[in-house]
Amino acid sequence: MSNIENRKNDHLDICAKGDIEHQNSTLLEEVQFFHEALPEHSLDEIDLSSRILGRELEAPILISGMTGGTENALEVNHALAQTAQKWGLGMGLGSQRAMLMDPERTRTYAVRDVAPDILLMANIGSVQARDCGALAAAELVDAIGADALCIHLNVAQEIVQDEGDRDFRGCLETFESFAKTLKKPMVAKETGCGLSPQTIRRLRDAGVQWVDVAGGGGTSWTAVESQRGSARQQALGAPLRNWGIPTAASVAFAHRAGMKTIASGGIRSGLDAARALALGADAVSLALPFLRAYANGGETQLHDTASSLIAELQAIVLLCGGSSPASLREVPKNIGPALQSWLSSGESTD
């Protein structure tokens, strides 16, 4: 088994069982809704359908990119894709770096046979995108029938990994080049450390229209790496476990900058989803809850997880007096002091 296969399998095992979440909050709990006792709507008429990246979804919920490149990944991706197909959700795939190294691994990312109708997002790291160029990246998208390409930013994880990337020069130029040449939508995606106002502004000016903020408060990839590597990897990963900008702040920064925004990083419930949508997200994305549902209860628990998220989000929209996910931006809400502090600090960098 190759080094990359070992790493991919280690990541799945550690995420399924390990203590790998941020110890700091997403700050989503700082968004408190005013209850509406006279909503003047029927629960059945609350319509969660949303158009995301050119595709109609039954609810603005995505199963975040997790894995690919191994036999275990093939099994996981098929199960996740079938869940997305059944519930009308979107889905991302894990990094396709393995496909770049060995095209025969393409089948471990191929899910269109079980999910022909879903919003499907391809995925490659910014360094690999820089090195392979737009044409090769477009081929990765087309090879799996994806609708969009996520280019992920994972600097903290890479510098902790013994085998990780160290040179991140030229990645912003890559986004600018891809924005001009890719025929399908592109998403700039963080991986657990969030996006600052400065970074968001630079991406926007480079032509990026969609961001996935993947803020602090959810899975910490520095914590994951600290549990699988050398003494050096452990020593660097542990103190960086809580590095990053809280998800709630990152969502608000992106919305304030006029970006189309996917909220991820610690979304664990329909209430979390509603709070992120209220801050300006167009959709939310979850990885760990779906991975652990599959690890603990297979496809049955995957479907239960999706069903619960949808039902909870629908109920909260009604309880706020709204009629759709987008209406949550306008309903009355109270923002707590910790989140207010982040937002005020961010204003000085806009």
Side-chain angles (χ1 to χ4, degrees):
M1 186 177 293
S2 69
N3 287 337
I4 194 168
E5 287 178 296
N6 285 329
R7 186 165 72 247
K8 296 287 188 184
N9 286 330
D10 285 348
H11 286 164
L12 283 174
D13 290 341
I14 292 169
C15 288
K17 304 170 187 174
D19 174 20
I20 44 83
E21 293 187 81
H22 273 253
Q23 296 161 324
N24 293 342
S25 166
T26 63
L27 294 187
L28 288 167
E29 76 279 0
E30 294 258 309
V31 181
Q32 297 290 328
F33 294 110
F34 285 77
H35 171 60
E36 177 51 75
L38 290 169
E40 293 296 332
H41 293 292
S42 162
L43 180 62
D44 291 339
E45 69 181 8
I46 302 301
D47 183 7
L48 298 183
S49 64
S50 304
R51 188 168 182 82
I52 306 297
L53 290 163
R55 283 274 194 164
E56 291 291 335
L57 306 184
E58 292 297 316
I61 298 170
L62 315 176
I63 300 175
S64 191
M66 299 184 212
T67 193
T70 71
E71 292 303 313
N72 287 344
L74 172 63
E75 178 183 316
V76 172
N77 280 335
H78 270 217
L80 296 173
Q82 288 171 324
T83 300
Q85 177 73 22
K86 177 177 174 62
W87 295 98
L89 310 181
M91 177 184 167
L93 292 162
S95 171
Q96 290 170 261
R97 185 176 191 171
M99 273 180 64
L100 278 173
M101 298 170 62
D102 180 3
E104 291 187 5
R105 298 178 196 258
T106 300
R107 65 186 187 83
T108 67
Y109 299 88
V111 298
R112 279 299 187 200
D113 57 330
V114 297
D117 305 313
I118 67 170
L119 165 64
L120 183 65
M121 294 176 290
N123 185 357
I124 190 172
S126 58
V127 170
Q128 286 69 55
R130 177 198 67 194
D131 292 346
C132 77
L135 180 60
E139 289 174 353
L140 292 178
V141 176
D142 293 340
I144 58 169
D147 302 293
L149 173 65
C150 291
I151 300 179
H152 68 258
L153 306 165
N154 65 335
V155 175
Q157 180 187 9
E158 293 289 344
I159 63 174
V160 168
Q161 277 185 8
D162 288 339
E163 65 271 50
D165 296 314
R166 297 292 186 269
D167 183 356
F168 305 96
R169 293 172 295 182
C171 290
L172 182 62
E173 292 178 8
T174 298
F175 279 105
E176 187 170 11
S177 171
F178 279 39
K180 294 175 181 176
T181 57
L182 281 182
K183 296 180 180 178
K184 292 185 178 179
M186 174 180 63
V187 181
K189 174 179 170 52
E190 235 295 334
T191 54
C193 294
L195 294 172
S196 70
Q198 306 98 302
T199 301
I200 292 166
R201 183 174 62 249
R202 292 165 72 203
L203 288 167
R204 181 193 63 197
D205 292 348
V208 176
Q209 298 180 6
W210 280 87
V211 293
D212 181 338
V213 301
T219 301
S220 167
W221 282 98
T222 50
V224 172
E225 297 300 347
S226 73
Q227 295 183 32
R228 61 163 288 271
S230 66
R232 173 212 160 269
Q233 195 160 309
Q234 295 170 36
L236 184 56
L240 293 177
R241 174 174 183 154
N242 298 315
W243 183 264
I245 300 166
T247 295
S250 286
V251 170
F253 294 151
H255 177 61
R256 194 158 66 193
M259 302 293 278
K260 302 292 286 183
T261 305
I262 299 168
S264 67
I267 306 292
R268 299 291 180 259
S269 65
L271 179 56
D272 285 339
R275 288 164 164 166
L277 293 165
L279 290 169
D282 297 278
V284 301
S285 187
L286 303 84
L288 198 65
F290 283 108
L291 177 62
R292 290 188 169 173
Y294 181 65
N296 294 328
E299 292 187 25
T300 297
Q301 196 161 330
L302 273 178
H303 292 305
D304 289 345
T305 298
S307 176
S308 295
L309 283 168
I310 292 168
E312 188 176 338
L313 179 56
Q314 186 179 40
I316 291 167
V317 172
L318 178 70
L319 292 172
C320 291
S323 58
S324 67
S327 70
L328 290 172
R329 297 182 185 181
E330 309 302 328
V331 302
K333 62 188 78 70
N334 179 67
I335 306 297
L339 181 53
Q340 287 279 21
S341 177
W342 272 95
L343 300 183
S344 296
S345 298
E347 287 178 355
S348 65
T349 65
D350 283 340

